[in-house]
Amino acid sequence: GSRAESNESSGINAEYGDKPSFKELVMLLLVYLISLYIGLSSGTTATYWVTLKTSSLTDSGTDSSIYIKIIGDKGSVWSELETSDYNDFFAGDTDEYELRLEDVGRIRWAEISTGGSDAFLFDWVNVRSSGDTENRYNFLYNVDKRWLSRDSDEGASSVTLYRQGYKTYIVSTKTGTRSDAGSGAIGLSMVLDGEVYGNRGYTSYMEPSDGDFDEGELDVFVLKNMPELGEVKCVTLQAADTNAWYFDVIVVEEEGGKAVLFTNTFGKFLSADSSEGMTSMKLCR
């Protein structure tokens, strides 16, 4: 028969020509899968600035690999925190990292994990992203003071950290002048009780910039990403180390708000060793 008759009887080939071979079909499928993969994985990237504060408590530092997972409203990304020419995660150090990863949008929470059994304790991590224009910083505190280790006897393999809120509070401590009032290792943390809806804010370990609470010195701590507390009505001080500390006053204020003063009405030292002082102290106005 004629070419026209052949084309008419061959269905789809009448419009598109000869039927592709099996090899051509495989190649077309491969090209499709590659283009699909590229389409799915070609999301926009963002720059992340990560700051992590290792605790100053004894043996807090680690030689194990430490990782961060950042979760946002568009997905999640993860990366090892590592500086090629520097030994990270010494006790008391603050390490900074700049990461280029896929944009997860507005940051919701983060997860810190370890790849080894050398136990690690950190105080907080701050995560900023060029893709999250609403939040200039996200301070996430290790409020449970959880150690990280692949050895379950020493800690957990990971810890998930949530932002407590968007308020900033300033806490000032005045160390006393009596004999031995200062401390170089108290492991101080606080719980702040507010007048708003019974809200409560938690800190991780707090230490002065020079590492010590010196006799007669005023030390100031800026706590960002705390819940809305209004005026703080109670503050609970807790000690995790045994180098006893004596303070005269604690002042707490919301940024731009009224300052609230708490005095050491117990007249006691604070220490994790109960023979040296109180392990926990709750002060209310």
Side-chain angles (χ1 to χ4, degrees):
S2 68
R3 183 177 180 87
E5 290 174 342
S6 174
N7 284 344
E8 184 178 357
S9 64
S10 61
I12 192 170
N13 289 340
E15 184 176 355
Y16 294 102
D18 294 334
K19 177 187 274 189
S21 67
F22 176 78
K23 183 177 180 181
E24 289 172 327
L25 284 173
V26 172
M27 290 300 295
L28 286 171
L29 179 60
L30 183 59
V31 170
Y32 170 76
L33 291 175
I34 291 173
S35 63
L36 181 63
Y37 173 80
I38 292 174
L40 291 174
S41 61
S42 61
T44 57
T45 59
T47 301
Y48 296 86
W49 295 274
V50 177
T51 307
L52 187 144
K53 168 67 169 57
T54 300
S55 176
S56 293
L57 293 190
T58 302
D59 297 326
S60 292
T62 186
D63 288 325
S64 294
S65 297
I66 300 299
Y67 303 88
I68 185 169
K69 182 178 181 181
I70 304 168
I71 298 89
D73 53 16
K74 295 181 182 178
S76 63
V77 291
W78 73 277
S79 174
E80 182 177 1
L81 298 179
E82 182 181 27
T83 305
S84 58
D85 58 348
Y86 177 75
N87 196 352
D88 313 77
F89 314 121
F90 273 111
D93 278 4
T94 300
D95 297 309
E96 298 181 349
Y97 307 89
E98 183 174 317
L99 311 173
R100 189 70 181 173
L101 303 168
E102 187 173 345
D103 183 16
V104 299
R106 187 180 181 189
I107 295 172
R108 298 298 185 184
W109 67 87
E111 179 182 291
I112 303 296
S113 60
T114 179
S117 58
D118 186 16
F120 175 56
L121 180 66
F122 70 97
D123 291 337
W124 51 262
V125 61
N126 177 31
V127 185
R128 296 186 297 123
S129 168
S130 61
D132 186 355
T133 56
E134 292 186 37
N135 301 302
R136 291 183 294 119
Y137 42 76
N138 294 278
F139 277 87
L140 311 174
Y141 300 94
N142 186 4
V143 296
D144 293 327
K145 293 87 174 177
R146 183 165 296 172
W147 288 78
L148 293 178
S149 175
R150 288 286 176 180
D151 182 344
S152 59
D153 291 332
E154 295 190 348
S157 60
S158 66
V159 59
T160 302
L161 307 168
Y162 297 93
R163 181 175 48 231
Q164 295 183 67
Y166 297 95
K167 293 294 184 179
T168 297
Y169 284 82
I170 297 97
V171 176
S172 303
T173 63
K174 173 66 167 57
T175 300
T177 55
R178 62 188 295 175
S179 178
D180 297 323
S183 173
I186 183 61
L188 175 68
S189 63
M190 298 185 186
V191 179
L192 309 177
D193 289 300
E195 62 180 2
V196 178
Y197 311 121
N199 282 355
R200 176 172 285 181
Y202 299 86
T203 76
S204 51
Y205 293 122
M206 306 162 64
E207 66 174 7
S209 56
D210 65 356
D212 297 330
F213 288 95
D214 295 321
E215 292 183 16
E217 290 294 316
L218 179 71
D219 294 295
V220 180
F221 305 89
V222 179
L223 306 175
K224 298 182 178 181
N225 291 118
M226 298 295 284
E228 183 177 359
L229 302 171
E231 287 187 16
V232 174
K233 61 182 183 180
C234 292
V235 56
T236 302
L237 287 72
Q238 299 168 328
D241 216 333
T242 57
N243 188 192
W245 176 57
Y246 188 92
F247 70 94
D248 288 333
V249 297
I250 306 287
V251 179
V252 184
E253 62 179 303
E254 181 182 348
E255 189 174 47
K258 180 181 177 182
V260 181
L261 184 144
F262 301 89
T263 60
N264 187 351
T265 54
F266 294 97
K268 300 283 188 179
F269 278 81
L270 189 71
S271 174
D273 183 347
S274 59
S275 67
E276 293 187 351
M278 300 176 66
T279 60
S280 178
M281 191 181 296
K282 185 172 184 177
L283 308 170
C284 296
R285 60 180 174 87

